[in-house]
Amino acid sequence: MKQAKVRLYVEHALGEGQTVPLTRDQAHYLFGVMRLGPEAELLLFNGRNGEWLATVAEAGKRGGCLLCHRQTRPLQCPPDLWLLFAPIRKARTDFMVEKAAEMGVARILPVKSAHTNAERIRRDRLQAHAIEAAEQCGGTFVPPVGELRPLERVLAEWPEDRLIMFCDETLAGARAGLGAAVRGKGGQGGKWAILIGPEGGFSPAERARLHALPFACPVSLGPRILRADTAAVAAMTLWQSTLGDW
Ligand code: SAH
């Protein structure tokens, strides 16, 4: 059986005849871990120029160089969907970012709500998870991960033409599906965001504020209370199959 080609995310521009220098980590991964030698083929993407077939031009211990040949897939952007979530414990936050990159969101925005425990996030580490997920799932786009910002401020500056699928745990069991919310707003596709709360849920003040916002659509995710990471996956599935590109 032919082995699947290595897929690597690079920052560099990609195009026919383009040489792509490697960082020390990338050289270690390709030549030390994956054991690629000169002339070996691999696939590159940078989130902007689609996917390209490349070969190893120079392989060294601390660096090297690749040569880009032809485009194998065009850039495929996800629908204009943002995921807003309150970071929880590290492994579960990593999981949410990874799933968001796989399932197809355009931006990942960590928000600090009243009951969010995490004071800070490692944005670079979360971004690396999104890149790894895209490498693994054949994606050509990598959703940018934002800095942790207070939910209050994010809502104060919210672009009014973007609807929020507000996953409200107090609606568990209520008849408040996404379909009804979409019909209620008279909208279909277009710009959206999903909002998932932390383990402690939303505070009464946050909930009242969200229910009063004209662009927020309170939605139930079924009769059971889901953990935040499960809720994020369920919400993305629901949105993608109702309004997205699935
Ligand atoms: N501690 C809270 C639950 C928080 S669950 C409680 O016991 O009520 C974490 C987040 O997942 C929630 O803030 C919400 O955004 C989402 N969520 C979980 N289950 C949900 C459901 N059935 N309907 C809508 N949102 C849900």
Side-chain angles (χ1 to χ4, degrees):
M1 202 177 81
K2 202 162 172 278
Q3 233 199 323
K5 284 192 188 70
V6 171
R7 289 187 95 239
L8 184 71
Y9 172 86
V10 294
E11 299 276 341
H12 209 276
L14 299 173
E16 209 182 312
Q18 180 78 58
T19 50
V20 179
L22 294 171
T23 64
R24 197 187 170 117
D25 284 351
Q26 287 167 336
H28 171 73
Y29 171 68
L30 294 181
F31 313 134
V33 181
M34 300 311 288
R35 304 253 157 230
L36 298 189
E39 304 301 318
E41 292 189 338
L42 71 161
L43 296 168
L44 302 180
F45 69 105
N46 61 5
R48 310 184 301 275
N49 304 132
E51 181 191 77
W52 287 75
L53 179 72
T55 49
V56 175
E58 249 179 70
K61 269 210 158 47
R62 292 183 194 83
C65 198
L66 305 175
L67 180 62
C68 221
H69 298 279
R70 61 182 170 83
Q71 195 183 48
T72 45
R73 294 164 78 174
L75 174 67
Q76 197 192 358
C77 289
D80 194 354
L81 172 68
W82 299 354
L83 174 67
L84 273 66
F85 71 96
I88 42 178
R89 269 170 296 145
K90 188 172 146 293
R92 291 181 184 275
T93 301
D94 292 352
F95 174 90
M96 276 200 265
V97 168
E98 182 184 294
K99 297 310 150 208
E102 287 177 46
M103 298 179 91
V105 306
R107 271 178 86 178
I108 300 174
L109 299 172
V111 292
K112 187 166 163 38
S113 64
H115 297 157
T116 303
N117 298 322
E119 280 304 319
R120 58 183 68 82
I121 54 159
R122 287 278 311 275
R123 202 205 66 80
D124 55 338
R125 238 179 44 98
L126 293 179
Q127 188 67 70
H129 276 291
I131 288 172
E132 228 170 84
E135 280 174 345
Q136 179 275 124
C137 75
T140 48
F141 176 86
V142 179
V145 180
E147 289 295 350
L148 181 65
R149 296 185 64 219
L151 175 62
E152 228 181 270
R153 205 166 320 144
V154 171
L155 292 177
E157 294 165 9
W158 194 257
E160 291 190 3
D161 59 345
R162 182 176 296 273
L163 297 176
I164 300 179
M165 175 180 172
F166 162 41
C167 298
D168 179 355
E169 66 273 9
T170 61
L171 293 178
R175 292 176 71 87
L178 178 61
V182 171
R183 282 190 296 277
K185 297 283 171 193
Q188 267 289 312
K191 301 177 186 176
W192 277 84
I194 289 171
L195 173 61
I196 302 288
E199 279 156 339
F202 292 99
S203 74
E206 283 169 340
R207 187 167 294 112
R209 167 127 198 248
L210 280 155
H211 275 270
L213 292 174
F215 43 81
C217 308
V219 165
S220 157
L221 298 175
R224 288 161 290 272
I225 302 280
L226 310 174
R227 299 184 86 125
D229 48 347
T230 316
V233 171
M236 290 188 284
T237 308
L238 198 58
W239 190 92
Q240 282 286 22
S241 59
T242 310
L243 299 166
D245 62 5
W246 286 19

